Amino acid sequence: MDLQSLLVWIVILFNVVGMVMILLGDADILLQIRAKFGKSVKSLAGQVIWITGASSGIGEELAYELARAGCRLVLSARRIKELERVKKECMLRGRVKDEDILVLKLDSIDFASHKTAVNKVLAHFKHIDVLVNNAGRSQRAEWLKTSVQVDRDMLELNVLGVLSLSKLVLPYMIERGSGHIVNISSVAGKLGAPLSGSYTGAKHALQGWFDALRIEVGDKNIHVTNVCPGPVFSNILAVAFTENEGEEFRGEMNPNEKRMKTDRCAYLTGVAMANKMWEVWIAKNPVLFFCYANQYMPNLTKWLSGKLGLKTIKKMREGQN
Ligand SMILES: NC(=O)c1ccc[n+]([C@@H]2O[C@H](COP(=O)([O-])OP(=O)(O)OC[C@H]3O[C@@H](n4cnc5c(N)ncnc54)[C@H](OP(=O)(O)O)[C@@H]3O)[C@@H](O)[C@H]2O)c1
């Protein structure tokens, strides 16, 4: 076989293996490889990791994953009672003592309180290795019926609150010469998610903001990871925004839906953190396949989404297909 044919066969082989990994996997190819051969979550042992929105869902499971790895944690959200429950559970499941976990009441949209919160964390742990911006709410609402106030509230919570906290934490990381900002974005930060216009816009904005930051601080040993999960079991549907200001969707998840288990999403997020990856996609199929299709064939994917129609895409999104 000549060199040219050999190269053609290698390219074909890579494409076939890649396609199989996409179709059978629940994360992008590089994250699947890192999960097998990269640094393990345990390599984060001893690090001070601040998780916002740690009182339920992905943030809660991430706390357990990191506690098992021996990380020191700041657990923040609005519901202190839930945070205390998560702390207790971390101590049961993990290699952590009482003083290794700081419970901190924090409302992401109360920007004026963020400085005091950062000071409390620094007073307790002296530094912050990783800030995980996880707190957030999704949405179920028709685009046209959504009030501009809801658009604004969504941006306040899912974007501006994240920026506010990150801008306060980053100077300390830069001064110390190391740090890591992890944002729990969404597949909706890559693709248009129907009936979630404000959410899609907010998560796209979040990624844009932090993709720009990554380049600016790249030479300062500051890392930025954008995590894009697809459908995951959590409390998110209950408290999702609707079209109307101040309203919660109160939706329930059916255990038979094809959503990812929360602990699996937390584990893969931990792998992405340990390996300081820039952007990861964590989703079961067909959502994972759609992410790849949209990345490499954006127009074809948009055409296909139109052909499949709202009903089918909605089912896919809710893990009901
Ligand atoms: N589940 C999914 O399918 C999915 C998919 C893609 C991305 N995500 C993203 O994952 C992240 C976590 O969501 P989840 O699915 O785990 O939902 P969840 O179970 O509802 O958890 C959301 C967390 O955010 C906190 N939070 C909400 N509003 C807050 C505020 N104003 N201030 C401080 N904390 C606030 C909540 O705590 P308190 O209520 O105690 O404040 C809770 O701990 C979100 O950013 C979401 O967009 C989720």
Side-chain angles (χ1 to χ4, degrees), residues 53-58 77-79 106-108 134-136 157 184-186 199 203 229-232 234-236 239:
S55 60
S56 81
I58 297 171
R78 292 165 302 175
R79 291 170 297 162
L106 181 77
D107 187 338
S108 297
N134 165 74
L157 174 61
I184 308 300
S185 175
S186 170
Y199 183 67
K203 291 295 190 184
V232 177
S234 79
N235 197 38
I236 202 159
V239 294

Side-chain angles (χ1 to χ4, degrees), residues 39 53 87 103 107 112-113 149 171 178 180-181 198 209 276 294:
K39 284 187 181 168
K87 174 174 176 171
V103 161
D107 187 338
S113 69
Q149 187 55 48
S178 75
H180 190 175
I181 305 279
S198 331
W209 241 292
K276 298 191 166 61
N294 187 62

Side-chain angles (χ1 to χ4, degrees), residues 21-42:
M21 287 178 81
I22 293 168
L23 292 176
L24 298 183
D26 60 1
D28 66 79
I29 294 173
L30 195 55
L31 182 54
Q32 288 186 48
I33 293 173
R34 295 280 201 226
K36 281 218 158 47
F37 307 110
K39 284 187 181 168
S40 76
V41 185
K42 286 204 165 62

Side-chain angles (χ1 to χ4, degrees), residues 182-228:
V182 179
N183 301 307
I184 308 300
S185 175
S186 170
V187 160
K190 306 298 295 177
L191 300 164
L195 305 176
S196 295
S198 331
Y199 183 67
T200 299
K203 291 295 190 184
H204 272 69
L206 182 71
Q207 292 200 203
W209 241 292
F210 282 88
D211 280 341
L213 172 73
R214 184 185 298 109
I215 303 165
E216 282 188 38
V217 294
D219 62 348
K220 296 181 172 65
N221 197 27
I222 304 294
H223 305 272
V224 175
T225 300
N226 285 331
V227 178
C228 304

Side-chain angles (χ1 to χ4, degrees), residues 20-277:
V20 170
M21 287 178 81
I22 293 168
L23 292 176
L24 298 183
D26 60 1
D28 66 79
I29 294 173
L30 195 55
L31 182 54
Q32 288 186 48
I33 293 173
R34 295 280 201 226
K36 281 218 158 47
F37 307 110
K39 284 187 181 168
S40 76
V41 185
K42 286 204 165 62
S43 68
L44 297 169
Q47 294 205 6
V48 176
I49 303 183
W50 183 350
I51 307 171
T52 70
S55 60
S56 81
I58 297 171
E60 173 179 350
E61 283 297 333
L62 186 62
Y64 302 148
E65 186 66 43
L66 296 174
R68 273 194 294 271
C71 300
R72 292 176 289 164
L73 300 172
V74 182
L75 306 177
S76 70
R78 292 165 302 175
R79 291 170 297 162
I80 281 286
K81 208 171 144 204
E82 290 305 305
L83 291 175
E84 292 292 357
R85 173 186 62 77
V86 175
K87 174 174 176 171
K88 253 192 203 155
E89 200 58 37
C90 282
M91 286 162 63
L92 281 175
R93 299 188 194 191
R95 303 189 283 137
V96 282
K97 301 186 289 287
D98 184 59
E99 64 270 24
D100 293 331
I101 303 186
L102 177 66
V103 161
L104 187 67
K105 188 177 166 76
L106 181 77
D107 187 338
S108 297
I109 57 172
D110 182 5
F111 302 162
S113 69
H114 290 183
K115 181 73 187 152
T116 311
V118 172
N119 288 342
K120 279 186 188 160
V121 174
L122 291 173
H124 189 87
F125 285 120
K126 309 285 179 264
H127 71 275
I128 300 159
D129 291 295
V130 188
L131 170 64
V132 183
N133 290 307
N134 165 74
R137 284 173 64 191
S138 186
Q139 181 182 39
R140 293 297 181 273
E142 277 184 47
W143 199 103
L144 207 52
K145 291 183 183 161
T146 304
S147 75
V148 173
Q149 187 55 48
V150 169
D151 292 329
R152 193 171 279 148
D153 292 346
M154 177 70 82
L155 288 170
E156 287 246 313
L157 174 61
N158 286 359
V159 183
L160 297 178
V162 176
L163 294 178
S164 163
L165 200 58
S166 304
K167 281 173 195 257
L168 288 167
V169 168
L170 268 164
Y172 294 101
M173 291 180 167
I174 290 171
E175 195 186 322
R176 193 164 173 257
S178 75
H180 190 175
I181 305 279
V182 179
N183 301 307
I184 308 300
S185 175
S186 170
V187 160
K190 306 298 295 177
L191 300 164
L195 305 176
S196 295
S198 331
Y199 183 67
T200 299
K203 291 295 190 184
H204 272 69
L206 182 71
Q207 292 200 203
W209 241 292
F210 282 88
D211 280 341
L213 172 73
R214 184 185 298 109
I215 303 165
E216 282 188 38
V217 294
D219 62 348
K220 296 181 172 65
N221 197 27
I222 304 294
H223 305 272
V224 175
T225 300
N226 285 331
V227 178
C228 304
V232 177
F233 284 105
S234 79
N235 197 38
I236 202 159
L237 271 190
V239 294
F241 285 99
T242 67
E243 290 109 355
N244 307 314
E245 189 185 343
E247 194 174 72
E248 290 182 345
F249 184 64
R250 305 307 324 158
E252 282 176 15
M253 291 182 182
N254 178 334
N256 298 323
E257 285 167 354
K258 253 171 83 183
R259 294 174 185 274
M260 183 179 282
K261 286 196 175 142
T262 331
D263 56 352
R264 174 73 180 160
C265 178
Y267 164 71
L268 289 169
T269 300
V271 172
M273 288 166 63
N275 291 280
K276 298 191 166 61
M277 298 175 75

